[in-house]
Amino acid sequence: MVEPKTASRPARARKPRTKISAKAAATEKEGLNRHWRTEFLEALAQTSNVTAACAVAGVHPSRPYIVRRAEPEFARAWRAALLEGYENLEMEVLHRLRFGEAKDGPVKFDNPGALRLLGLHRETVARERAMRENEEIGVVRAAIHAKLEQLRRQVMARRALENAEVAGRA
């Protein structure tokens, strides 16, 4: 029997597939794009609208909700995209309130609707911002602990050197 020259790579673990109804799947684009999640999240960040993001990604609106419940990483990315979308909306409203808007422009902007939407999601946005700040605090804490560990090693090395000098004199 001939021995293989290199060990074969183990198979990558596949993510479990999310199941949606056949009726819902039938309304999606032909041959669902493997990258629908990226397209969905980008559109969600631009529009803050799940239905519009689903249309851009070509998926039935139930699919992202099912994936969000099943996959914590996708849920985090969803919240981050919404936060980005709401921040963009805040900036647009602020710009319109400060500088006005063209009345005869091709696109009419619904200022009252935008303000209502921001008010409805104020708590969600605040919670997501707090979670991001906590993550940043974790990074800061890790850096502080690393610096303290470095200082501890320097002190221990200096003490060992001093002890060696004392022992050499004796």
Side-chain angles (χ1 to χ4, degrees):
M1 182 161 108
V2 176
E3 293 290 323
K5 293 182 181 179
T6 60
S8 62
R9 289 186 286 163
R12 287 190 324 185
R14 293 181 66 174
K15 288 183 181 177
R17 293 183 168 220
T18 54
K19 300 195 188 245
I20 65 167
S21 69
K23 181 180 174 185
T27 65
E28 294 179 343
K29 286 181 182 175
E30 183 71 28
L32 182 63
N33 180 351
R34 293 179 344 170
H35 305 291
W36 71 265
R37 294 171 191 218
T38 303
E39 293 172 3
F40 170 81
L41 293 170
E42 287 173 357
L44 186 61
Q46 291 174 0
T47 65
S48 303
N49 184 318
V50 174
T51 304
C54 288
V56 168
V59 296
H60 189 273
S62 66
R63 185 178 295 268
Y65 285 104
I66 292 169
V67 174
R68 183 180 71 173
R69 281 192 300 275
E71 299 179 19
E73 187 59 38
F74 184 72
R76 278 190 288 281
W78 178 308
R79 288 191 307 271
L82 276 180
L83 177 63
E84 182 180 338
Y86 292 132
E87 287 173 346
N88 291 339
L89 183 58
E90 284 176 347
M91 292 295 108
E92 287 180 34
V93 170
L94 182 61
H95 178 78
R96 281 174 170 55
L97 293 174
R98 281 191 166 175
F99 304 108
E101 58 185 296
K103 298 292 182 191
D104 298 325
V107 177
K108 298 204 182 231
F109 192 81
D110 182 13
N111 287 323
L115 292 170
R116 260 193 318 278
L117 180 65
L118 289 170
L120 287 171
H121 294 282
R122 180 181 302 142
E123 187 176 315
T124 304
V125 170
R127 190 176 329 115
E128 183 63 24
R129 284 181 179 151
M131 286 175 23
R132 280 191 177 183
E133 288 173 7
N134 283 340
E135 288 177 5
E136 292 171 6
I137 288 172
V139 171
V140 170
R141 285 185 178 154
I144 289 171
H145 288 297
K147 184 66 174 175
L148 289 173
E149 180 63 24
Q150 178 188 4
L151 291 172
R152 186 186 69 76
R153 288 183 184 152
Q154 288 174 352
V155 168
M156 296 298 285
R158 189 181 48 193
R159 284 183 184 163
L161 184 61
E162 289 171 357
N163 290 340
E165 287 176 1
V166 169
R169 285 186 244 155

